[in-house]
Amino acid sequence: MTKFLGADGKYHPAGWFLGQDGKYHAPGSFLGLDGQYHPKGYQLGLDGKYHKAGSTLGMDGKYHENGSTLGLDGQYHKQGEVLGLDGKYHPKDSVLGLDGQYHPKDHFLGLDGQYHPKGSLLGIDGKYHPLGYFLGVDGAYHPPGSILGVDGKYH
């Protein structure tokens, strides 16, 4: 990432600008009616505060993510979250596992009784490793793209 030396003697990411408040701000930031700088994509709400664009005012008087819904528990939940058999809200497409917990649908129950991401493989060490990991000459599993260096270690 390219940086530049600012008037304050500190380095800042390229594209940042010096605001009227004497501080550097990210591109797209704007000076709000409250005299503060806000990130791009924020808007002034009915409560006089700035919120992410698209957020909506809930029945509780607070702003919530667009598409969130009021659950049976009186709390707002992200769009698509579902009420599970345990009375809690879970991410869309999560499934109830044999252990009574909710897991992402792309997980599976391993021989160790734990849920692992789809594509994980059981290694000779008895542990599950993400797809693409490999057993090195040192007897340990390493991430894809690792290579054995001249120092005998994987990098």
Side-chain angles (χ1 to χ4, degrees):
M1 174 183 271
T2 306
K3 293 187 175 189
F4 68 93
L5 182 61
D8 58 1
K10 297 177 184 176
Y11 284 92
H12 303 279
W16 285 46
F17 66 93
L18 182 62
Q20 294 176 358
D21 58 0
K23 297 177 184 175
Y24 282 87
H25 302 277
S29 298
F30 64 93
L31 182 61
L33 297 174
D34 58 0
Q36 302 289 320
Y37 280 85
H38 301 279
K40 179 181 179 180
Y42 274 61
Q43 64 189 20
L44 184 61
L46 296 173
D47 59 359
K49 297 178 183 175
Y50 283 83
H51 306 276
K52 283 185 180 179
S55 57
T56 54
L57 184 61
M59 295 169 66
D60 58 0
K62 297 178 183 176
Y63 278 82
H64 302 278
E65 184 179 309
N66 193 22
S68 60
T69 56
L70 181 61
L72 297 174
D73 58 0
Q75 302 291 319
Y76 280 83
H77 301 277
K78 292 181 181 177
Q79 184 175 11
E81 284 191 333
V82 294
L83 181 61
L85 297 174
D86 58 0
K88 297 177 183 175
Y89 281 82
H90 301 279
K92 179 181 178 182
D93 295 331
S94 59
V95 293
L96 182 61
L98 296 174
D99 60 357
Q101 303 291 319
Y102 281 83
H103 304 277
K105 73 174 183 178
D106 59 348
H107 281 55
F108 68 94
L109 181 62
L111 296 174
D112 59 359
Q114 302 292 316
Y115 280 82
H116 302 279
K118 188 176 185 178
S120 297
L121 298 173
L122 182 61
I124 61 170
D125 59 359
K127 298 178 183 175
Y128 282 86
H129 302 279
L131 187 63
Y133 271 59
F134 65 92
L135 181 63
V137 294
D138 58 358
Y141 282 86
H142 302 279
S146 298
I147 57 168
L148 183 61
V150 293
D151 58 0
K153 297 179 182 178
Y154 283 86
H155 303 279

